[in-house]
Amino acid sequence: MSWPWSELGLDGPVPLREIRQAYAERLKTTHPEEDPDGFQRLHEAYQAARRASTQLTHTPPAPTESETPSEATYVDPPEEPTPSPSPSQTGHLKWEFDDLLETSEQAVPHEQESSLPDWDYERLFQEEADARASARYQQYQGKGTAEDIEAIDHALQIIENFFAVRAPLPRWIHFLHSGDFFRVKGHPIFLSELCTFFEKNPTIDPSIRRAFQKAYGLDHQYIPKPYRSLYCVLLHQSQTTFMQKIYALRKIILVISLCFLFAAGLKIIPAVRLEREYNLLASDIEADFGRAVHAPDKGKKVEKKLFAPMDEPDLYFLAWRTGERDMAHGKHGYETNFGDALTYKSLKRFAKKWDLRLTAITEDHKSAEMAASHGIMPAQYDLELPFTGAGDCITALGDLLHEMQEEPWYALSPPSFQLHLSCKGIAYYHCSIPNDPFDATQLRKDYETAMPWQVGAYIIQQSGLGETDFGSKDYHLQNAGTIELGRKHYYVIRGVKPNAAKASYVYLFTGTQLYSIRADIFESILRKNDSFFVLSGNVFKSQSDTLSHAFLLYQVKN
């Protein structure tokens, strides 16, 4: 039995299907990582057998009687190839499993190729993969669902197989963008196994390590805590030289550290005193407010210290000492903006419930959310209300402010802020808490009556429409109530010249459209009830961009 058939365990030339099957069986016992030389010989024999089988398939037509059977049936096998260098001579092999089975497919006719079985790496090593999957399931049973463990094992098999066949970088990148990877990317079991894989294979291509770093976002300054172990493992290969230098200087660093430790010892006593101040202040706050708190910035020597409740670790507030604590004389010994923090949380929850836009503004006009994360509370709140239909919202806001005043914390830390209500970007009400009372009943009445007129008047003045009608800015606007024309509700605003008894222009406002009509024409419309003329008659329109919201301005011609 001659080469290459002997290497594949075959008696002689056979069809391509049997060659593939024999090669697959030999791959189960000839692992490229454990026996690279044997794997290389097996691969070369497989390629030579494929070429011989292809030549047999494309033999000339059947021979005549004068031809011998050997001349018509077989073709001389190819010369035995020169053995390729071993992995130790070439660095590392750049084979890919798909290439092992498909390198010579181009020589096989399409009809024959489509009938061949579709081998893949997982199928060839199915028994080994099943055993490994079973072992992982037993190891991690109880730490994840069966589906998670199965997905993790599948992804790890792909990684191990790619490494075994020396898959090129594009194949690794394709896997890192696949659903198989994203499904298990952040699972603790997968991260642990991935760290183990890179630790066991320190010679893996650095470009592959960098691809994993990029896939996990480890090429930035901030490294998430779950990925820090993987980050250290991935950097081991590229940081080896640097770390060796660090270890060489370890003794020097130790001596220097001892010197600095002595100097730092001089600061231990102040640090202990600061720790005690934090603990005492936290204890006083807990006693007064009935809520346990912790100090996120403990250890920093600052006048105003940052705290947060244990049950709401994201609700930050400031507290600072103002003297000795003497509860017998009503002295708490500290001040805090805890009440402002609770108010901010309540107003945000209220705006979300009523689907309103709440704008919080700090004293230095910085981002309120960013400032709140440092315990700095907003000094002003702007609540945007719809043009109509927010009467119940105003009543509910009044109830909320009243309920906050009844809370125990309100008396201990009364909030201080300005509250603005606006509509369509136009502020029409403001008050200062706690100095100004919030009369929800009167405010709701103003909202339903005076507010639409105020918004309409503001638009007439700021858009320049009034100045166009009167020829100057010397005019007055008056609230004339509401009117129904053509089943449509309008707010009426009268434009009057100084010292004039009658209006010169009448403005009809719907909240989105504003009509400018000469007073005599408007009176004619009322007499004739010609509402169609107002809505779609001889008009021209212009767009105003001077306001935060655009309005259509209509002027009825004579």
Side-chain angles (χ1 to χ4, degrees), residues 400-421:
L400 173 64
L401 296 177
H402 178 72
E403 291 172 1
M404 287 195 302
Q405 293 176 1
E406 299 298 322
E407 292 287 340
W409 58 262
Y410 195 93
L412 293 171
S413 176
S416 177
F417 60 92
Q418 290 187 346
L419 178 62
H420 296 259
L421 299 182

Side-chain angles (χ1 to χ4, degrees), residues 67-380:
E67 293 177 323
T68 63
S70 60
E71 293 174 338
T73 305
Y74 296 99
V75 179
D76 292 337
E79 295 182 359
E80 186 169 337
T82 302
S84 300
S86 64
S88 61
Q89 296 171 322
T90 60
H92 61 270
L93 302 179
K94 296 183 179 179
W95 295 332
E96 183 181 349
F97 184 79
D98 294 340
D99 295 336
L100 301 181
L101 294 180
E102 298 177 3
T103 303
S104 304
E105 288 291 343
Q106 297 178 355
V108 182
H110 180 72
E111 294 77 4
Q112 180 182 358
E113 183 181 49
S114 61
S115 64
L116 296 178
D118 186 18
W119 299 94
D120 56 41
Y121 192 85
E122 294 175 337
R123 180 178 176 185
L124 298 179
F125 291 93
Q126 190 61 46
E127 294 181 0
E128 180 183 351
D130 292 342
R132 184 169 54 253
S134 177
R136 284 200 178 104
Y137 182 78
Q138 293 296 330
Q139 180 182 0
Y140 296 110
Q141 188 175 10
K143 299 182 181 179
T145 63
E147 291 78 5
D148 289 342
I149 295 176
E150 182 180 357
I152 291 170
D153 183 72
H154 177 70
L156 290 173
Q157 287 184 35
I158 294 176
I159 293 173
E160 292 170 357
N161 294 343
F162 276 10
F163 177 71
V165 299
R166 308 300 194 270
L169 180 60
R171 282 300 181 90
W172 289 89
I173 295 177
H174 177 76
F175 165 70
L176 294 176
H177 287 81
S178 67
D180 292 332
F181 174 71
F182 279 101
R183 180 178 177 183
V184 301
K185 175 182 178 181
H187 201 286
I189 296 177
F190 179 74
L191 290 172
S192 176
E193 291 289 342
L194 193 59
C195 290
T196 302
F197 168 77
F198 280 105
E199 288 174 350
K200 290 182 178 180
N201 301 283
T203 60
I204 193 169
D205 193 337
S207 61
I208 297 175
R209 290 176 178 269
R210 288 192 292 271
F212 273 87
Q213 284 182 246
K214 187 174 182 180
Y216 277 97
L218 305 180
D219 49 354
H220 304 294
Q221 291 183 352
Y222 174 73
I223 306 300
K225 186 174 181 180
Y227 299 154
R228 289 177 184 174
S229 297
L230 178 61
Y231 175 73
C232 295
V233 173
L234 291 175
L235 282 188
H236 174 73
Q237 184 67 14
S238 58
Q239 298 288 333
T240 300
T241 304
F242 175 75
M243 293 304 298
Q244 288 175 347
K245 294 180 180 179
I246 293 296
Y247 293 145
L249 297 174
R250 183 167 51 185
K251 293 183 178 179
I252 300 176
I253 293 176
L254 180 60
V255 174
I256 297 175
S257 299
L258 291 175
C259 295
F260 277 105
L261 183 61
F262 175 76
L266 300 177
K267 298 183 179 180
I268 292 179
I269 295 178
V272 172
R273 185 181 300 129
L274 184 62
E275 175 84 7
R276 182 173 176 272
E277 291 178 2
Y278 264 102
N279 293 337
L280 288 176
L281 188 54
S283 178
D284 293 343
I285 295 172
E286 181 177 354
D288 294 338
F289 289 89
R291 298 180 68 176
V293 299
H294 73 289
D297 67 343
K298 182 182 289 187
K300 294 182 179 180
K301 190 176 181 180
V302 292
E303 179 183 357
K304 295 184 177 181
K305 300 172 177 60
L306 185 67
F307 290 92
M310 290 290 193
D311 54 351
E312 289 186 272
D314 295 333
L315 182 63
Y316 300 103
F317 65 93
L318 297 174
W320 57 96
R321 282 291 180 192
T322 57
E324 295 294 330
R325 183 176 176 85
D326 186 1
M327 296 303 298
H329 293 83
K331 296 180 180 180
H332 295 276
Y334 69 93
E335 292 185 11
T336 179
N337 66 348
F338 193 19
D340 293 274
L342 294 172
T343 300
Y344 186 28
K345 183 188 72 171
S346 299
L347 290 178
K348 287 197 299 182
R349 186 182 301 167
F350 176 84
K352 183 178 181 181
K353 176 182 177 180
W354 289 90
D355 194 22
L356 303 176
R357 185 173 65 87
L358 177 68
T359 303
I361 304 172
T362 61
E363 291 183 352
D364 52 3
H365 298 282
K366 292 183 179 180
S367 170
E369 287 296 328
M370 180 64 70
S373 66
H374 293 81
I376 303 173
M377 293 299 110
Q380 177 180 321

